[in-house]
Amino acid sequence: AQTVTQSQPEMSVQEAETVTLSCTYDTSESDYYLFWYKQPPSRQMILVIRQEAYKQQNATENRFSVNFQKAAKSFSLKISDSQLGDAAMYFCAYRRETSGSRLTFGEGTQLTVNP
Amino acid sequence: DVKVTQSSRYLVKRTGEKVFLECVQDMDHENMFWYRQDPGLGLRLIYFSYDVKMKEKGDIPEGYSVSREKKERFSLILESASTNQTSMYLCASSLGSAGGKLFFGSGTQLSVL
């Protein structure tokens, strides 16, 4: 079974600084997708970024980028120029290429942004 | 924008009660999911459905059942609520295509006393 591990239950960053959230996963598959979701206090889950395993290039979305290391099964999220609105719970998630949209989530990392 | 609506934001029930959590999506998505969210455990899949009247067990189906009589509605049923089912329940939906983006509801915080 696939597992996703986020080893940092809590992280904090100063406004305008950069922070990196860690995620590792375990799978025997070669084709899969990885995601970072954000859950603010409103509880509404928001997709931040997505990476296809077959793509070597790391995904980027504005201030959000990933460091995807397929051999190491590592998928970290970097948030640049952190803003107060980035404060949220962040979840890393994995999906097999053949399993429809069923996701396996990590434990979550609570990010605090200090003004 | 896709909207996934969960019928209650907060719910308080007694041990042994039968509990229904309702979820409705308005974008004709084939796939619907029920997750449970607990601190330190992340989201865990309870049940999912790829089509009307179709259901499959997720990772933690014990104590739960589901119903999907119409494409837009996916219900989670706690046959006899227990205190260890106190949790946040999240519904989600997606298109059937590979790589389909998951859209979530705002969650129901269920307390079983």
Side-chain angles (χ1 to χ4, degrees), chain A residues 33 35 37 39 41-47 50 89 91 95 97 99-108, chain B residues 9-10 31 33 35 37 40 42-43 45 48 50 58-59 88 94-95 98-102 104-107:
Chain A
Y33 296 85
F35 305 83
Y37 277 86
Q39 187 182 45
S42 68
R43 304 188 329 208
Q44 185 67 55
M45 294 278 279
I46 302 164
L47 177 63
R50 181 178 100 159
M89 179 72 83
F91 291 100
R95 183 176 74 73
E97 214 281 333
S99 68
S101 300
R102 173 178 177 167
L103 296 183
T104 299
F105 287 86
E107 303 91 337
Chain B
R9 191 163 175 85
Y10 297 96
N31 305 328
F33 305 83
Y35 284 90
Q37 181 179 354
L43 280 71
L45 183 63
F48 59 104
Y50 288 147
D59 299 317
M88 172 77 72
S94 71
L95 285 171
K101 178 181 173 181
L102 222 59
F104 284 85
S106 296

Side-chain angles (χ1 to χ4, degrees), chain B residues 1-2 7 37 65 72 86 92 108 110 113:
Chain B
D1 270 358
V2 174
S7 54
Q37 181 179 354
S65 62
E72 67 271 18
T86 291
T108 295
L110 173 67
L113 306 177

Side-chain angles (χ1 to χ4, degrees), chain A residues 64-79:
Chain A
F64 298 87
S65 62
V66 298
N67 183 6
F68 172 49
Q69 302 288 328
K70 191 172 183 179
K73 295 179 183 175
S74 171
F75 183 61
S76 60
L77 175 69
K78 185 171 82 171
I79 306 174

Side-chain angles (χ1 to χ4, degrees), chain B residues 4-109:
Chain B
V4 179
T5 303
Q6 294 185 230
S7 54
S8 304
R9 191 163 175 85
Y10 297 96
L11 210 53
V12 180
K13 295 293 181 180
R14 295 286 182 188
T15 301
E17 278 193 78
K18 190 169 185 176
V19 181
F20 293 86
L21 302 184
E22 306 286 346
C23 176
V24 177
Q25 50 94 3
D26 65 358
M27 283 300 291
D28 203 35
H29 283 174
E30 290 85 359
N31 305 328
M32 296 190 75
F33 305 83
W34 276 106
Y35 284 90
R36 169 177 171 159
Q37 181 179 354
D38 298 288
L41 297 177
L43 280 71
R44 293 177 292 167
L45 183 63
I46 305 172
Y47 267 98
F48 59 104
S49 170
Y50 288 147
D51 203 351
V52 176
K53 295 190 186 294
M54 176 272 177
K55 61 185 178 184
E56 288 195 30
K57 293 180 180 179
D59 299 317
I60 52 164
E62 296 78 18
Y64 303 94
S65 62
V66 290
S67 172
R68 193 165 181 201
E69 296 296 319
K70 294 185 178 181
K71 192 175 186 179
E72 67 271 18
R73 186 179 297 270
F74 192 37
S75 303
L76 180 69
I77 304 158
L78 286 65
E79 295 290 343
S80 177
S82 63
T83 54
N84 62 13
Q85 292 178 311
T86 291
S87 186
M88 172 77 72
Y89 291 88
L90 288 166
C91 175
S93 73
S94 71
L95 285 171
S97 58
K101 178 181 173 181
L102 222 59
F103 293 86
F104 284 85
S106 296
T108 295
Q109 178 63 53

